[in-house]
């Protein structure tokens, strides 16, 4: 029992023991269409905040640089930023002087420019270079539809200065689709010919000590093969270029238009180029992923066709995350095992979550994997795809949201989530309580075990007390029964029976024997019961009074029951009988030359049932003279019986005595009122017997 309860409590426990904790540290409202970057430009340990945005003036933009909440400087220039992407603004110290330059690509009129900015010793923004890249063409509706940016910085010619590798790719504007290298050392810009497909730089490396650039083109099928351009816009292709940006190898086709494809490179162990392609066609009713591996020469090393248990429309793409191919589908993310030609059927993330990005938030070498679900919850997974933490973010479920790492300076392990309106900065630190999760869970289990043990002990104690109470009630009821069938009572009854036999009054003798047998049988049958129905109690009293009339020729009785009384309710056994017996023993028995009478009335009240037992005996004061002839156990038994019944059922049964007097103020009997509250009543069965008001005078019937 403790184990399932512990599991439920643990599942309902707030996420106190996630491996990492995320806290919102800063939030800011952005200027319209602004994009924010954080970088330590001058290596002083303080991270600057760089904001890029287009101004209200058509065809102009601005760059703001802030430090610790204060504006350092701003620069307004003619031109606008290209389509937003993760590398619209880049930072690099090309000459290793400790100051990072700011690089970005802009469009002014129909021309694209590479802009190089820097901070001087007075923290003023100065433009170092504005380099013309190429002319741009318009798409339909008179718009420029391009994406362009800086891919990376690398000293490929080993002259001590890093070259800048960048690209421009036209979408509906089509051309240009070119790659560029700016050589800082020689202040020289190199550009390629147009590629047919949308071109992008994947990497740069050396082959036989010769610098080479790996580029990939993506098909868009909007430039026909008749146009003079490198490659085809209907194929996914790879090329190797030299530093003059001429093709030295390629094209190598790895996919086609209307297929889901991608390229990823890895430099450890050995240099590998991974490609994948999923075509919208089935072989033997099965969809396959074509996964290939090339070396740095673009020589095919391995090819695997992995069957996919999905329809083409349910597949998004394949992403290589921390060197693992992940198939992204509408049903979630799944690992692909190319060497085994299988897909792991256990998803690494759910269908309600979608992959956003993977970035290195902390100082570990592997990237964290960031997912977002439909409820604005951000989930961060580790390299093993196990959950590190999760948190709510009000802007997470937004198509234009971006997530980026904030470089480490005074503040370690921070990242930013932003859209066009807001930026939110979160800290990402190891949760100090994470190591205590298992002791905490063990503590919950032990506490539950202890708590359940106490409950069991308390329940057993209560049941034992209840058993003892019932046992004591039964003992008192047996005492009452013994008093009722005392030897004196039996002796007198047998004398009356013997007299009837001598007189040969066989009818009376037979009736007395039958009633005595009935009384004895009912006493024995219910000896284990604590309570019985009101009907059974009154029936027992009726038989008892019938026998007493055989002993006392001057005795008469009546039992009156209101028609609204439910005879199936239960009452403590012998409760009413004891008062009836006392009426005869202490009142009627000592009458001289007068008729004795016992009257029992049962009526209903709003809060229970009222039972009246009345006799016309000698009264309580006169009865004290005969107390030596009585055991005196009747009322103590009643008191003990009602006290134990109150403990057993949490309700109290009350009774009161009233002395009766005649017109001459002489004792004329005793009356007892017994109040049985509604709470003490239990229904024996669903049948309610309603009798009309009746006077019971014939023994044995009522």
């Amino acid at each position: 029992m403790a184990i399932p309860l512990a599991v439920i409590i643990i599942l309902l426990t707030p996420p106190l023991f996630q491996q990492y904790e995320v806290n919102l540290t800063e939030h800011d409202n952005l200027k319209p269409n602004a994009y924010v970057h954080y970088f330590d430009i001058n290596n002083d340990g303080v991270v600057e905040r760089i904001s890029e945005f287009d101004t209200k003036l058509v065809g102009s933009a601005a760059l703001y640089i802030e430090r610790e909440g204060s504006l350092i400087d701003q620069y307004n220039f003619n031109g606008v930023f290209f389509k937003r992407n993760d590398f619209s603004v880049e930072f690099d110290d090309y000459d290793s002087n400790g100051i990072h330059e700011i690089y970005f690509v802009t469009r002014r009129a129909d021309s694209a420019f590479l802009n190089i900015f820097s901070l001087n010793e007075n923290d003023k923004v100065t433009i170092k270079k504005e380099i013309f890249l190429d002319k741009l063409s318009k798409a339909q509706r008179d718009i420029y539809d391009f994406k362009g940016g800086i891919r990376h910085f690398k000293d490929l010619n080993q002259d001590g200065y890093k070259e800048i590798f960048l690209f421009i790719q036209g979408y509906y504007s089509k051309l240009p689709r070119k790659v560029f290298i700016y050589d800082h050392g020689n202040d020289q810009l190199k550009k390629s010919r147009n590629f047919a497909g949308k071109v992008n730089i994947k990497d740069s490396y050396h082959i036989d000590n010769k610098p080479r650039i790996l580029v990939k083109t993506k098909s868009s099928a909007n430039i026909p093969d008749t146009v003079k351009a490198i490659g085809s816009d209907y194929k996914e292709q790879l090329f190797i270029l030299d530093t003059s940006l001429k093709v030295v190898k390629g094209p190598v086709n790895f996919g086609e238009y209307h297929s889901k494809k991608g390229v990823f490179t890895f430099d450890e162990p050995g240099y590998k180029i991974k490609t994948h392609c999923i075509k919208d066609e089935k072989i033997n009713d099965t969809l396959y992923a074509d996964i290939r591996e090339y070396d740095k020469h673009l020589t095919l090393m391995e090819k695997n066709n992995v069957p996919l248990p999905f329809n083409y429309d349910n597949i998004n793409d394949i992403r290589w995350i921390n060197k693992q191919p992940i198939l992204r589908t509408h049903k979630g993310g799944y690992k692909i095992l190319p060497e085994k030609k299988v897909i792991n059927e256990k998803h690494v993330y759910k269908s309600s979550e979608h992959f956003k990005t993977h970035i290195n938030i902390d100082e570990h070498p592997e990237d964290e994997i960031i997912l977002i679900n439909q409820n604005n919850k951000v989930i961060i997974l580790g390299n093993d795809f196990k959950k590190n933490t999760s948190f709510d973010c009000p802007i997470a479920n937004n198509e234009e949201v971006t997530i980026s790492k904030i470089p480490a300076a005074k503040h370690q392990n921070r990242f930013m989530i932003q859209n066009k309106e807001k930026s939110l900065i979160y800290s990402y630190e190891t949760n100090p309580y994470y190591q205590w999760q298992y002791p905490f869970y063990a503590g919950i289990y032990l506490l539950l075990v202890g708590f359940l043990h106490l409950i069991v002990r308390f329940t057993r104690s209560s049941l034992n007390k209840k058993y003892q109470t019932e046992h004591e009630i039964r003992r008192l009821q047996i005492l009452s029964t013994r008093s009722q069938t005392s030897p004196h009572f039996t002796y007198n009854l047998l004398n009356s029976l013997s007299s009837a036999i001598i007189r040969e009054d066989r009818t009376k003798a037979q009736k007395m024997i039958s009633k005595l047998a009935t009384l004895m049988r009912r006493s024995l049958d219910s000896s284990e019961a604590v309570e019985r129905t009101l009907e059974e109690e009154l029936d027992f009293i009726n038989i008892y009074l019938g026998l007493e009339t055989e002993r006392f020729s001057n005795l008469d009785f009546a039992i009156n029951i209101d028609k609204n009384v439910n005879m199936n309710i239960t009452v403590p056994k012998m409760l009413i009988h004891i008062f009836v017996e006392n009426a005869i023993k202490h009142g009627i028995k000592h009458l001289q030359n007068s008729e004795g009478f016992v009257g029992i009335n049962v009526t209903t009240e709003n809060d229970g049932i009222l039972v009246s037992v009345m006799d016309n005996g000698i009264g309580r004061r006169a009865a004290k003279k005969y107390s030596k002839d009585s055991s005196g156990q009747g009322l103590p038994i009643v008191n003990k019986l009602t006290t134990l019944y109150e403990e057993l059922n949490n309700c109290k049964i009350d009774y009161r005595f009233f002395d009766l007097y005649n017109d001459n103020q002489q004792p004329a009997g005793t009356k007892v009122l017994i109040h049985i509250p509604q709470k003490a009543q239990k229904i024996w069965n669903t049948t309610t017997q309603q009798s009309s008001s009746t006077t019971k005078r014939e023994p044995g019937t009522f």
Side-chain angles (χ1 to χ4, degrees):
M1 185 65 180
I3 292 178
L5 283 176
V7 170
I8 293 172
I9 291 175
I10 289 170
L11 291 176
L12 295 176
T13 300
L16 302 174
F17 302 104
Q18 298 187 103
Q19 188 171 358
Y20 290 84
E21 59 181 4
V22 174
N23 295 298
L24 179 65
T25 59
E26 297 179 33
H27 61 89
D28 193 15
N29 294 322
L30 303 179
K31 294 181 181 296
N33 296 319
Y35 196 84
V36 176
H37 310 265
Y38 284 85
F39 200 84
D40 184 5
I41 296 175
N42 53 6
N43 285 317
D44 62 352
V46 178
V47 175
E48 281 77 30
R49 184 177 190 261
I50 301 95
S51 302
E52 54 164 290
F53 57 93
D54 297 332
T55 65
K56 294 181 179 179
L57 185 62
V58 176
S60 65
L63 199 69
Y64 279 20
I65 300 180
E66 300 168 87
R67 183 183 296 141
E68 296 183 334
S70 299
L71 179 66
I72 297 174
D73 198 9
Q74 70 182 70
Y75 193 89
N76 300 306
F77 54 91
N78 291 328
V80 294
F81 291 96
F82 269 41
K83 280 189 173 182
R84 293 294 185 268
N85 52 73
D86 291 341
F87 42 88
S88 55
V89 171
E90 293 291 338
F91 307 89
D92 189 70
D93 183 8
Y94 81 94
D95 54 3
S96 303
N97 68 350
I99 304 295
H100 288 79
E101 283 70 34
I102 305 170
Y103 301 84
F104 53 92
V105 177
T106 59
R107 177 186 63 80
R108 185 166 69 239
D110 62 348
S111 300
F113 293 87
L114 169 63
N115 301 270
I116 305 176
F117 283 61
S118 181
L119 279 180
N120 62 23
E121 62 275 7
N122 297 320
D123 281 341
K124 294 297 181 181
V125 178
T126 59
I127 182 166
K128 298 185 71 171
K129 293 284 184 180
E130 184 183 67
I131 303 163
F132 170 75
L133 295 176
D134 212 332
K135 286 286 186 178
L136 305 176
S137 58
K138 290 184 178 180
Q140 295 177 355
R141 293 175 294 179
D142 201 34
I143 62 172
Y144 291 95
D145 188 19
F146 286 90
K147 177 179 179 181
I150 299 162
R151 175 53 68 182
H152 63 261
F153 304 85
K154 185 179 289 187
D155 185 7
L156 201 61
N157 60 10
Q158 300 178 349
D159 63 351
Y161 298 97
K162 295 179 183 177
E163 290 81 51
I164 307 171
F165 296 79
L166 61 155
F167 69 93
I168 296 177
Q169 52 179 232
Y171 281 64
Y172 289 107
S173 291
K174 300 181 182 179
L175 300 177
R177 294 177 177 177
K178 295 180 179 181
V179 296
F180 305 83
I181 299 177
Y182 176 68
D183 183 351
H184 269 290
N186 298 310
D187 191 18
Q188 181 183 11
L189 178 71
K190 301 175 184 178
K191 66 176 72 176
S192 71
R193 292 170 48 212
N194 276 315
F195 286 83
K198 291 182 291 188
V199 67
N200 201 337
I201 301 171
K202 294 304 296 182
D203 205 354
S204 59
Y205 47 78
H206 285 81
I207 299 178
D208 300 328
N209 294 321
K210 296 178 181 179
R212 295 289 183 257
I213 300 101
L214 175 67
V215 300
K216 178 206 89 165
T217 62
K218 183 177 181 180
S219 63
S220 56
N222 63 3
I223 293 183
D225 290 338
T226 55
V227 174
K228 288 186 178 181
I230 301 172
S232 171
D233 195 24
Y234 296 85
K235 301 285 185 181
E236 303 285 314
Q237 298 177 323
L238 294 173
F239 301 86
I240 296 177
L241 311 181
D242 60 18
T243 53
S244 64
L245 299 183
K246 293 181 180 179
V247 176
V248 296
K249 180 69 178 289
V252 173
N253 299 327
F254 68 91
E256 299 177 0
Y257 182 64
H258 287 316
S259 62
K260 303 177 193 293
K261 56 273 177 180
V263 176
F264 299 88
T265 61
F266 309 104
D267 54 7
E268 293 180 5
Y271 194 87
K272 298 177 181 178
I273 303 168
K274 298 276 191 176
T275 69
H276 66 264
C277 178
I278 304 172
K279 297 180 181 179
D280 187 11
E281 57 185 42
K282 293 185 177 181
I283 302 174
N284 296 328
D285 204 33
T286 302
L287 199 67
Y288 285 86
D290 179 357
I291 299 178
R292 304 181 186 185
E293 180 181 313
Y294 299 88
D295 64 8
K296 62 171 62 177
H297 301 275
L298 287 184
T299 301
L300 181 63
M301 305 298 293
E302 186 177 348
K303 178 180 178 180
N304 292 297
N305 288 320
V306 181
L308 305 177
F310 300 101
N311 292 325
Y312 184 82
D313 292 338
N314 290 331
I315 295 174
N316 296 329
D317 59 17
I318 296 175
R319 286 291 182 98
W320 291 77
I321 304 173
N322 292 336
K323 301 181 182 180
Q324 302 176 77
I326 304 298
L327 179 70
R328 301 197 304 159
T329 75
H330 298 338
K331 297 182 179 180
Y334 300 83
K335 283 185 181 181
I336 297 178
L337 308 175
E339 66 281 358
K340 296 184 179 180
K341 300 185 186 303
V342 296
I343 179 173
N344 192 331
E345 294 183 0
K346 184 178 180 181
H347 57 67
V348 293
Y349 62 86
K350 304 174 184 176
S351 59
S352 59
E353 304 162 346
H354 68 269
F355 172 84
K356 187 62 183 177
T357 187
H358 58 101
I359 57 174
N360 192 347
I361 302 176
D362 56 21
E363 301 307 313
H364 297 144
E366 297 84 10
D367 287 357
E368 278 70 38
I369 300 150
I370 300 180
L371 312 173
I372 295 176
N373 70 13
Q374 299 172 350
N375 299 319
N376 282 329
K377 185 175 286 293
V378 179
I379 303 101
I380 301 180
L381 309 180
N383 182 50
D384 54 1
F385 286 89
K386 291 184 179 178
K387 182 178 176 181
N388 284 352
T389 188
S390 63
F391 62 97
D392 294 318
C393 175
I395 64 172
N397 195 15
N398 185 304
E399 292 182 359
E400 297 181 343
V401 75
T402 60
I403 303 175
S404 57
K405 159 78 172 176
I406 296 179
K410 290 183 179 179
H411 304 283
Q412 297 292 325
N413 302 340
R414 296 195 304 167
F415 63 96
M416 177 175 58
I417 301 178
Q418 65 176 311
N419 60 10
K420 289 184 176 182
E421 298 175 351
K422 292 183 179 180
S423 68
L424 306 174
I425 297 177
Y426 296 88
S427 63
Y428 181 76
E429 303 293 343
T430 302
N431 185 357
Y433 300 110
Y434 174 70
Q435 59 183 336
W436 295 102
Q437 62 175 325
Y438 296 113
F440 177 79
Y441 297 152
I444 287 179
Y445 175 73
L446 293 176
L447 283 174
L448 281 174
V449 169
F451 180 68
L452 291 175
H453 178 69
L454 289 176
I455 289 178
V456 170
R457 287 191 61 181
F458 177 77
T459 303
R460 287 178 178 174
S461 176
S462 299
L463 291 174
N464 186 51
K465 184 177 180 180
K466 182 178 180 181
Y467 169 78
Q468 292 176 353
T469 301
E470 291 178 349
H471 179 75
E472 181 67 11
I473 290 175
R474 292 190 189 102
R475 188 183 70 81
L476 292 170
Q477 289 171 339
I478 291 172
L479 287 176
S480 176
T481 304
R482 288 177 179 174
S483 175
Q484 164 210 318
T485 56
S486 62
H488 181 68
F489 167 77
T490 307
Y491 175 76
N492 288 335
L493 189 62
L494 291 176
N495 276 343
S496 299
L497 180 61
S498 175
S499 176
I501 293 173
I502 291 173
R503 294 194 308 269
E504 294 185 356
D505 191 349
R506 295 182 179 180
T507 301
K508 182 178 180 180
Q510 186 176 3
K511 183 183 287 189
M512 290 178 66
I513 291 172
S514 175
K515 290 181 179 180
L516 179 61
T518 300
L519 187 70
M520 299 294 287
R521 186 183 73 248
R522 293 196 179 181
S523 296
L524 294 174
D525 287 346
S526 62
S527 62
E528 294 297 320
V530 176
E531 53 196 6
R532 60 186 170 194
T533 65
L534 180 61
E535 182 180 15
E536 291 171 340
E537 177 78 0
L538 294 176
D539 186 42
F540 187 91
I541 292 170
N542 189 45
I543 298 172
Y544 168 76
L545 288 174
L547 286 170
E548 290 288 18
T549 57
E550 301 297 335
R551 293 178 55 202
F552 302 103
S553 58
N554 63 338
L555 175 63
D556 196 4
F557 71 94
I559 301 176
N560 298 318
I561 305 170
D562 188 76
K563 65 178 181 179
N564 295 321
V565 173
N566 186 353
M567 299 294 286
N568 290 313
I569 65 168
T570 61
V571 296
K573 190 176 71 173
M574 307 300 292
L575 175 67
I576 303 173
H577 166 78
I578 292 174
F579 290 104
V580 173
E581 182 184 24
N582 279 348
I584 294 174
K585 288 173 62 177
H586 302 295
I588 304 300
K589 178 180 177 181
H590 303 294
L591 283 175
Q592 301 292 331
N593 302 320
S594 61
E595 294 291 328
F597 177 78
V598 176
I600 300 171
N601 291 288
V602 184
T603 59
T604 59
E605 288 189 341
N606 292 333
D607 59 344
I609 289 178
L610 190 65
V611 180
S612 170
V613 179
M614 183 188 67
D615 68 77
N616 64 341
I618 63 175
R620 290 191 297 168
R621 181 176 297 179
K624 290 181 179 179
K625 296 187 297 183
Y626 304 98
S627 60
K628 61 182 180 179
D629 297 329
S630 170
S631 65
Q633 293 184 357
L635 286 181
I637 288 175
V638 169
N639 291 333
K640 188 68 174 176
L641 186 67
T642 55
T643 299
L644 291 172
Y645 197 80
E646 181 180 1
E647 292 179 6
L648 190 64
N649 294 287
N650 195 27
C651 63
K652 185 173 180 60
I653 297 175
D654 294 319
Y655 64 89
R656 290 179 293 168
F657 285 96
F658 297 90
D659 295 317
L660 305 178
Y661 299 91
N662 59 20
D663 294 338
N664 298 324
Q665 293 300 309
Q666 296 296 317
T670 305
K671 180 180 180 181
V672 182
L673 291 179
I674 307 166
H675 178 254
I676 303 174
Q678 187 74 29
K679 189 176 180 181
Q681 302 169 22
K682 302 175 186 176
I683 304 300
W684 187 261
N685 56 45
T686 56
T687 304
T688 301
Q689 176 179 335
Q690 294 189 350
S691 307
S692 58
S693 182
T694 310
T695 300
K696 306 296 181 182
R697 293 189 181 276
E698 281 298 321
T701 61
F702 66 98

